[in-house]
């Protein structure tokens, strides 16, 4: 195990305190210990703050809560702030609705490689199963057990294959999967210096692909994705997406098309505003 790599986990959240509490428990239960957590909060209310404050009191993990006013979907802005405030050389991005398996951070640490970013995915759970998962289910890792999940309503061969993959078989599945090694906010890691060099996230973008776009700029810089979807496992708790709009998706697609067409590396709309 590569215990020397210092990692900052950046966890995005917005008004899902019940889910966030389960996710924090997952990070308190990791085999890898050399990491801290920044919760990038896009304007959540008081209930989220209570959950985070309680975690800070009890946890051996250093937790930093970054918050800004709720002025609509500004997730990329708070993520950029988190990147600048991260103290460690390596950053693991996840969401406040994705419970990590106990070896999640360890997998990212062991597979980290200069000139690459790591591309994971998630196993999506239905709402009833998302609500059912308890603290004990996370601590015992029952919520990653195929038999238990099936008994409680999980279906889908892709989900179950990811959860069941181990060792060399997981390596092989990551090698042969047709899925692109894209930058996925729920389960991706990269070197902080690479993220700074591409100027972080494009803050013009709303829901629908801003993580893919930063990955495309990293690739324009020569930083390629490395597939780890069958090795770095997290389960995604269900929720509505009220911030998803046709207009934002279309605008984001246009920005991404331009990124690929022009080969741009540094967005002018990122950590530093380069256009004025």
């Amino acid at each position: 195990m590569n215990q020397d790599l210092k990692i900052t986990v950046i966890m995005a959240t917005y008004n899902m305190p019940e889910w966030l509490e389960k996710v924090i428990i997952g990070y308190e239960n990791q085999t890898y210990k050399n990491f801290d957590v920044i919760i990038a909060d896009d304007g959540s209310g008081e209930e989220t703050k209570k959950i985070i404050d309680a975690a800070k009191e009890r946890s051996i993990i250093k937790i930093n809560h970054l918050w800004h006013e709720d002025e609509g979907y500004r997730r990329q802005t708070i993520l950029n702030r988190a990147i600048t405030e991260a103290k460690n050389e390596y950053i693991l991005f996840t969401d406040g609705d994705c419970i990590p398996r106990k070896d999640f951070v360890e997998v990212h640490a062991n597979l980290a490689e200069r000139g690459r970013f790591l591309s994971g995915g998630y196993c999506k759970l239905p709402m009833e199963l998302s609500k059912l998962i308890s603290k004990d289910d996370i601590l015992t890792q029952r919520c990653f057990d195929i038999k238990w999940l099936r008994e409680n309503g999980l279906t889908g061969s892709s989900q179950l294959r990811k959860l069941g993959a181990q060792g060399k078989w997981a390596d092989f599945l990551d090698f042969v999967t047709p899925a692109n090694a894209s930058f996925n906010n729920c389960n991706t890691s990269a070197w902080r210096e690479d993220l700074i060099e591409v100027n972080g996230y494009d803050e013009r973008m709303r829901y629908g692909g801003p993580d893919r776009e930063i990955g495309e700029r990293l690739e324009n810089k020569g930083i390629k994705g490395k597939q780890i979807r069958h090795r770095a496992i997290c389960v995604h708790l269900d929720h509505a997406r009220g911030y998803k709009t046709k207009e934002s998706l279309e605008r984001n697609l246009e920005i991404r098309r331009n990124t690929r067409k022009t080969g741009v590396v540094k967005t002018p709309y990122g950590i530093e505003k380069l256009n004025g």
Side-chain angles (χ1 to χ4, degrees), residues 103-168:
D103 63 345
F104 186 76
V105 180
E106 179 185 338
V107 168
H108 278 270
N110 286 340
L111 297 177
E113 183 182 336
R114 291 285 178 184
R116 306 297 289 269
F117 66 83
L118 302 183
S119 171
Y122 58 68
C123 302
K124 190 171 183 178
L125 305 184
M127 182 60 78
E128 284 187 19
L129 183 48
S130 299
K131 286 187 170 295
L132 177 68
I133 291 173
S134 67
K135 176 180 178 179
D136 189 58
D137 294 327
I138 299 165
L139 295 178
T140 63
Q141 299 289 280
R142 196 178 297 120
C143 63
F144 300 97
D145 180 75
I146 291 175
K147 183 172 182 290
W148 185 84
L149 289 164
R150 271 183 174 150
E151 287 171 353
N152 288 286
L154 182 65
T155 58
S157 58
S158 173
Q159 315 277 48
L160 296 167
R161 184 166 58 247
K162 270 186 267 190
L163 288 160
Q166 300 288 334
K168 296 293 185 186

Side-chain angles (χ1 to χ4, degrees), residues 84-101:
T84 63
E85 296 207 15
K87 299 293 191 287
N88 294 327
E89 62 183 327
Y90 199 70
I91 294 178
L92 195 171
F93 293 93
T94 191
D95 286 336
D97 54 16
C98 290
I99 304 174
R101 196 169 66 187

Side-chain angles (χ1 to χ4, degrees), residues 25-120:
I25 291 166
Y27 282 94
E28 291 173 331
N29 196 37
Q30 291 294 297
T31 54
Y32 193 85
K33 307 298 184 188
N34 200 357
F35 72 96
D36 59 19
V37 171
I38 296 176
I39 298 176
D41 185 347
D42 192 18
S44 300
E46 191 61 29
E47 284 305 308
T48 294
K49 184 177 185 300
K50 286 178 184 175
I51 292 296
I52 297 169
D53 286 347
K56 285 166 123 177
E57 284 288 319
R58 70 169 186 263
S59 185
I60 60 167
I61 304 168
K62 183 185 176 188
I63 299 172
N64 182 11
H65 182 199
L66 296 186
W67 179 91
H68 60 194
E69 291 280 354
D70 186 355
E71 297 177 1
Y73 186 92
R74 294 192 296 147
R75 175 187 172 122
Q76 280 59 259
T77 302
I78 198 69
L79 285 172
N80 278 344
R81 186 178 156 202
I83 291 168
T84 63
E85 296 207 15
K87 299 293 191 287
N88 294 327
E89 62 183 327
Y90 199 70
I91 294 178
L92 195 171
F93 293 93
T94 191
D95 286 336
D97 54 16
C98 290
I99 304 174
R101 196 169 66 187
K102 67 180 180 180
D103 63 345
F104 186 76
V105 180
E106 179 185 338
V107 168
H108 278 270
N110 286 340
L111 297 177
E113 183 182 336
R114 291 285 178 184
R116 306 297 289 269
F117 66 83
L118 302 183
S119 171

